[in-house]
Amino acid sequence: MEKQSVKSMEEMIKAAQAAAETIQKQMTESQSKLDGIEVEGAAGGGLVKIRCSAKGRIIGVAIDDSLMQPSEKGILEDLIAAAFNDARAKADEVAGQEMARMQSGMGLPPGFKLPGM
């Protein structure tokens, strides 16, 4: 019987390693997917727009021509920061939804924090 319990233990360890490899692969795929999802943050009624990936990578900045005056410099700087924060919040929301979807697909309980996430 001891040989059988050692064999069972080895099988459990192999199964756990396989599960960990599967989770790692899914996490890598999800991170790649997040970098392909775009969100847009805006400020000043759309005068400044920032596009970024759901992973947080800035893709582009659009500034309305009306803000391109030296006297508007301070306002423009504030609007860029606000648009970035809006885009980042949207990116975080989308990333959270994608991670929740991935975790539910793996049978993990909602809110479970994977290491490195």
Side-chain angles (χ1 to χ4, degrees), residues 38-115:
E38 287 188 22
V39 296
E40 182 178 86
L47 293 175
V48 175
K49 296 177 184 175
I50 294 182
R51 289 182 305 122
C52 71
S53 73
K55 197 171 176 181
R57 181 177 54 89
I58 300 298
I59 297 166
V61 177
I63 300 169
D64 188 272
D65 290 342
S66 67
L67 295 173
M68 302 304 289
Q69 301 171 26
S71 63
E72 302 294 326
K73 181 180 185 291
I75 292 170
L76 177 57
E77 291 168 344
D78 290 344
L79 290 174
I80 290 171
F84 173 79
N85 290 331
D86 186 42
R88 184 65 213 202
K90 289 175 182 175
D92 289 345
E93 182 179 340
V94 170
Q97 291 169 354
E98 285 298 316
M99 288 296 110
R101 208 174 356 265
M102 180 193 77
Q103 287 179 345
S104 69
M106 286 189 273
L108 298 173
F112 180 80
K113 298 292 183 194
L114 290 169

